Amino acid sequence: MILLALLGCLDELLESPYVLATGIGEARSVSARVEGRLLVATGTGVYAVDGEGHAERLGDGADAVAVSPTREYALRQGRVTWDGGALDVPGAIDLTVGYDRLVVLYPDAVEHMEPDTGARRRVPLSGVARAVSLGPDGTYLVVSETTLYRLGADDTLTPLATSLVDARAAATDAKGQVFVAQGAPEELWRVEPAGLVSVARWLGDPRDLQFGVGGLLPAENLYLANGAGTLDYVRPPP
């Protein structure tokens, strides 16, 4: 029995994600910066992390971050801020940016927002939402504890995966493949027409997912904001 336990621990050690950066506090959100680093929101600060794991603290702690080609957004206690602007979003839990709009997530809705004008369009959600990210072909991915949805340009919600267990976050790679972190313990799964396929195990406490941007942050690598206080990465098989 002791040998089996040791083999199980060794299996977990060998298959766990690689650690890129440590000592950054409770990592909550990760997004790619234009200049080739990752922006990470943690409980102790917002950090820019390069491909060698060097972390530069840029500001106070935040709940989530999102980066567009021209702006970096941070969500802190119901308020979205960026250089030169701010919007109140009481109750918001996550955000993403892309397709020429800012999308703010609440437990029961998403809001499409125009930061410069303050215009908003609210879309009610089913279940209790946890995370939002960019999806393939101009769509968004919305994660609840048990379901992964695709939110279309016409605001239609389509379930991509159901009967999930403690789903945390989702991401889309350069090929348009969708991945979701879920399970007990947490695993990384690829969403395929026939169902979910496990591609990585022992994720720990994943809070957010982001594929790399190239160079020292390869586009094939998936980076994980780990609530245990690290920024990790895995490389899903092709």
Side-chain angles (χ1 to χ4, degrees), residues 75 77-79 88-94 104-109 122 129:
L75 173 64
Q77 299 180 341
R79 188 172 176 84
D88 289 324
V89 288
I93 58 173
D94 198 10
V104 178
L105 181 70
Y106 303 82
D108 61 350
R122 194 175 181 93

Side-chain angles (χ1 to χ4, degrees), residues 156-173:
T156 299
L157 277 173
T158 303
L160 294 181
T162 59
S163 301
L164 304 180
V165 176
D166 194 19
R168 302 289 189 86
T172 306
D173 70 6

Side-chain angles (χ1 to χ4, degrees), residues 27-30 40 205-209 223-227 230-231:
R28 301 167 175 172
S29 174
V30 56
V40 186
D205 184 17
R207 303 294 183 84
D208 196 16
L209 309 174
Y223 295 86
L224 301 87
N226 191 322
T230 59
L231 180 65

Side-chain angles (χ1 to χ4, degrees), residues 17-22 24-32 38-43 45-47 49 62-65 94 131 168-171 181 186 188 202-211 221-234:
Y18 298 99
V19 176
L20 178 63
T22 62
I24 56 176
E26 177 199 359
R28 301 167 175 172
S29 174
V30 56
S31 186
L38 296 172
L39 195 67
V40 186
T42 81
V46 172
Y47 294 85
V49 180
D63 300 311
V65 288
D94 198 10
R168 302 289 189 86
E186 292 286 327
L188 181 67
W202 314 114
L203 301 188
D205 184 17
R207 303 294 183 84
D208 196 16
L209 309 174
Q210 170 69 51
F211 276 93
N221 285 359
L222 181 63
Y223 295 86
L224 301 87
N226 191 322
T230 59
L231 180 65
D232 306 332
Y233 67 95
V234 298

Side-chain angles (χ1 to χ4, degrees), residues 108-181:
D108 61 350
V110 294
E111 275 190 340
H112 300 279
M113 310 184 73
E114 296 291 343
D116 294 325
T117 66
R120 307 184 181 196
R121 186 176 82 253
R122 194 175 181 93
V123 181
L125 298 175
S126 302
V128 179
R130 287 185 162 185
V132 63
S133 61
L134 298 183
D137 301 324
T139 66
Y140 298 90
L141 301 175
V142 178
V143 179
S144 75
E145 182 177 3
T146 61
T147 307
L148 170 64
Y149 297 95
R150 180 177 62 223
L151 177 64
D154 60 354
D155 295 337
T156 299
L157 277 173
T158 303
L160 294 181
T162 59
S163 301
L164 304 180
V165 176
D166 194 19
R168 302 289 189 86
T172 306
D173 70 6
K175 299 177 182 178
Q177 297 180 113
V178 174
F179 296 80
V180 60

